[in-house]
Amino acid sequence: MAKDSTKHALLGILLIPLIYAFVLRFDATSLRSWAIQLREPQKEADVGQEQLRNQDDEFRVPSKENSIDAEITRLNLQQLLTGKSQEDLLQNEIACIATTYSDMCVTTSAVAIHITTSNTTNLYLTGNQKLPSGTSNITIRPYPRKIDLPAMIRTSPVNLHQANATAAMPPCDVNHAVPAVIFSTGGFAGNFFHDINDLLIPLFLTSSLLRPNVRLILTDYESWWAKKYQRVLSAVSFYDIITSPTNDIAGKIHCFPGAVVGLTYHGHLSCNKTKAPGNLTTVDFLHFLHSSLFLKAHEPPESVATQKEKPLMVLISRRNSRTLLNEEEVINLAKEVGFRVEIATPKAMSDLQSIAELIHSCRVLLGVHGAGLTNMVFLSPGSVLVQVVPWGLDWVSKAYYHQPTYGMGLKYVEYKINIEESTLIEKYPIDHQVIVDPLSIHKKGYQVSKPIYIDGQNVRLNLTRFRKTLETAMQLAEF
């Protein structure tokens, strides 16, 4: 009998880390799918993707938040910082970091957040936090694009106040059992590159050790933005989003056991596993994104001899600037080379789910440099990105789309246009500085270069030259 008791005790001890991994560290998207299956056990294995997605949109964990061990929450919040800032957090229960792109504050102690009709959000440090000597408040604009003043102007501040006798807070209207992550959907939100680069990747990184037991507070809230990315946001948190400003004139005091103000940022369309919170790669983000949108994993492409149909190329079609003037001819050329071709228009790209599924099903994504190429985040591993680089945009093309392909596991082909393929040649003499020395124009500032190279040119590809690029893409798509 004693031996049986000992065995049961040992078994219980061994199960503890498994329970911890399942309950606290389980990926939110996997947990969500698991819960749906429990709710509908009679489903057959071949339930359609659309039916499953519809059920997912309806599925919500009850509004009452899960009770999470305070020490686990504290440890997870601490992993968002490293070095001196982590030491400060351990000692003062609050620490802030400032990088080129973002500011972020983390507190492992209680806070009270006053949500009102004002665009300004006030957070009161009601625990044992200690701000630096002589500091009574800190202001954060929680959008990771500090290098761009226009983005910061569109981002409302969050003020962190040291609670004291003169800054006493009224009682909490709502007590939360989970920490909060506060960020803004101001800035450049609405541009797809910035939605992914400035918001969804940083949110993935910042929430990685907290989700799904975290509350999101969106400042500068836009309902259309939250609706567009509803499935992604619900994979981060099972709970309703708290929005600021609110329509409630009286406002409410929301109290949390800890909070993060701002988002951590690693670089253009990338996650760096050597940076906090650690061990997260861009491929991890892609897996998270694809899972949240229920995109099916694709098998490696078949060889040319066994392929049943031609590889699919999706062409990102632009309308306002950097337009491909001979788009129809390029499409016909791609078909001659051996591709099936689908066109992704600006209207089509407004439907996140549909465009994600289309891009995920193709082998090659083609487009002129611009935000539409950010749809490469939906490509399957091993797919090909073909970027047409307009005149004078070499650096941004490399930084924003070429370099990130390495971390995404994609293949990359580049076509740099000649000046004869740019409409700039119709506006400036061949020896003009705009033509012969784009770098000197860029040095004058973005407000000078943007109207010329970003907004002021279209392209007409030399089909003879471009054929070689398409043939290279075909070869890469087949293996």
Side-chain angles (χ1 to χ4, degrees):
M1 191 75 176
K3 290 183 178 180
D4 289 342
S5 299
T6 301
K7 288 181 180 179
H8 291 154
L10 289 173
L11 181 60
I13 292 171
L14 291 173
L15 285 174
I16 288 174
L18 294 176
I19 294 171
Y20 166 78
F22 182 80
V23 175
L24 298 178
R25 299 296 294 268
F26 202 63
D27 179 63
T29 52
S30 300
L31 179 59
R32 179 183 54 185
S33 299
W34 170 79
I36 293 170
Q37 292 170 16
L38 285 183
R39 193 184 61 170
E40 301 279 358
Q42 75 280 9
K43 283 191 203 8
E44 296 181 1
D46 60 348
V47 173
Q49 286 289 94
E50 186 59 34
Q51 182 181 355
L52 189 57
R53 280 196 298 269
N54 290 339
Q55 290 165 348
D56 175 65
D57 287 342
E58 296 171 1
F59 174 75
R60 290 290 181 273
V61 168
S63 59
K64 183 180 179 180
E65 296 165 349
N66 295 328
S67 180
I68 304 299
D69 183 270
E71 185 59 27
I72 295 297
T73 297
R74 188 176 297 111
L75 289 171
N76 288 336
L77 287 169
Q78 289 169 3
Q79 300 310 306
L80 291 172
L81 304 175
T82 58
K84 178 63 165 57
S85 57
Q86 190 179 71
E87 294 175 8
D88 291 341
L89 183 61
L90 290 170
Q91 182 176 351
N92 303 318
E93 300 188 14
I94 184 171
C96 301
I97 56 173
T99 67
T100 302
Y101 280 85
S102 67
D103 294 330
M104 183 176 73
C105 288
V106 180
T107 175
T108 54
S109 194
V111 297
I113 302 174
H114 194 190
I115 306 294
T116 69
T117 56
S118 169
N119 283 328
T120 300
T121 301
N122 290 302
L123 182 151
Y124 295 86
L125 306 171
T126 57
N128 299 313
Q129 301 96 330
K130 297 177 183 177
L131 291 176
S133 178
T135 303
S136 60
N137 62 78
I138 297 172
T139 297
I140 297 284
R141 291 185 183 268
Y143 184 90
R145 199 75 185 176
K146 284 167 55 179
I147 60 171
D148 284 308
L149 181 60
M152 291 297 97
I153 291 173
R154 299 187 187 104
T155 303
S156 300
V158 176
N159 297 319
L160 288 72
H161 302 276
Q162 181 75 68
N164 52 47
T166 60
M169 283 299 301
C172 301
D173 294 308
V174 184
N175 283 290
H176 297 274
V178 299
V181 171
I182 306 173
F183 65 99
S184 171
T185 51
F188 295 143
N191 174 291
F192 189 57
F193 171 81
H194 292 287
D195 286 347
I196 298 294
N197 183 72
D198 304 352
L199 292 170
L200 295 187
I201 294 179
L203 179 60
F204 164 77
L205 291 167
T206 307
S207 67
S208 61
L209 296 176
L210 303 173
R211 62 176 183 264
N213 291 301
V214 61
R215 275 278 185 173
L216 302 181
I217 301 179
L218 271 61
T219 66
D220 304 300
Y221 175 75
E222 295 287 352
S223 59
W224 60 264
W225 191 93
K227 182 177 181 181
K228 179 175 182 177
Y229 297 106
Q230 176 186 356
R231 286 177 178 150
V232 182
L233 297 175
S234 67
V236 174
S237 170
F238 279 147
Y239 310 114
D240 292 339
I241 293 170
I242 298 173
T243 64
S244 177
T246 178
N247 293 324
D248 186 347
I249 296 176
K252 279 187 170 61
I253 304 294
H254 292 261
C255 294
F256 295 89
V260 182
V261 182
L263 300 173
T264 188
Y265 182 83
H266 286 181
H268 300 315
L269 298 179
S270 64
C271 303
N272 187 334
K273 67 179 181 181
T274 67
K275 295 183 178 181
N279 298 315
L280 289 173
T281 67
T282 311
V283 170
D284 292 324
F285 168 73
L286 297 180
H287 172 73
F288 163 79
L289 180 66
H290 296 179
S291 296
S292 69
L293 296 175
F294 286 84
L295 301 181
K296 292 181 179 179
H298 285 276
E299 296 296 327
E302 299 174 290
S303 66
V304 179
T306 59
Q307 278 184 350
K308 296 179 181 179
E309 57 184 1
K310 298 176 180 178
L312 175 62
M313 169 184 284
V314 173
L315 170 64
I316 301 294
S317 183
R318 298 184 58 85
R319 292 291 183 267
N320 297 322
S321 65
R322 285 156 283 141
T323 301
L324 186 56
L325 297 177
N326 57 340
E327 184 175 276
E328 284 299 321
E329 295 175 72
V330 170
I331 292 170
N332 291 333
L333 178 61
K335 291 178 179 178
E336 286 180 19
V337 171
F339 289 105
R340 292 179 294 126
V341 181
E342 293 280 351
I343 310 301
T345 64
K347 182 178 180 181
M349 286 185 283
S350 65
D351 185 329
L352 182 68
Q353 189 67 43
S354 294
I355 193 64
E357 291 174 356
L358 174 62
I359 301 297
H360 199 61
S361 69
C362 79
R363 289 298 300 161
V364 178
L365 179 64
L366 163 66
V368 180
H369 170 81
L373 288 184
T374 312
N375 284 286
M376 69 186 193
V377 297
F378 301 127
L379 286 169
S380 299
S383 298
V384 184
L385 175 68
V386 179
Q387 178 175 208
V388 175
V389 180
W391 195 257
L393 295 180
D394 297 44
W395 181 86
V396 291
S397 297
K398 181 178 182 179
Y400 285 14
Y401 299 111
H402 179 184
Q403 290 180 335
T405 58
Y406 299 119
M408 294 182 185
L410 303 176
K411 301 168 185 175
Y412 179 79
V413 180
E414 184 170 280
Y415 181 83
K416 291 184 180 180
I417 70 168
N418 289 331
I419 187 57
E420 292 79 14
E421 296 170 275
S422 171
T423 55
L424 289 176
I425 198 66
E426 301 168 7
K427 300 179 181 181
Y428 300 94
I430 192 64
D431 59 350
H432 195 280
Q433 190 178 21
V434 165
I435 304 297
V436 299
D437 192 8
L439 182 59
S440 66
I441 303 297
H442 286 294
K443 287 181 177 179
K444 295 179 181 180
Y446 188 64
Q447 295 308 313
V448 175
S449 63
K450 180 178 183 290
I452 299 172
Y453 300 111
I454 297 291
D455 300 333
Q457 69 171 314
N458 295 317
V459 299
R460 181 178 285 103
L461 300 187
N462 180 317
L463 299 181
T464 302
R465 285 186 67 224
F466 192 60
R467 174 183 282 273
K468 297 177 182 178
T469 300
L470 291 177
E471 289 172 347
T472 300
M474 173 63 77
Q475 292 172 357
L476 293 173
E478 292 171 341
F479 297 99

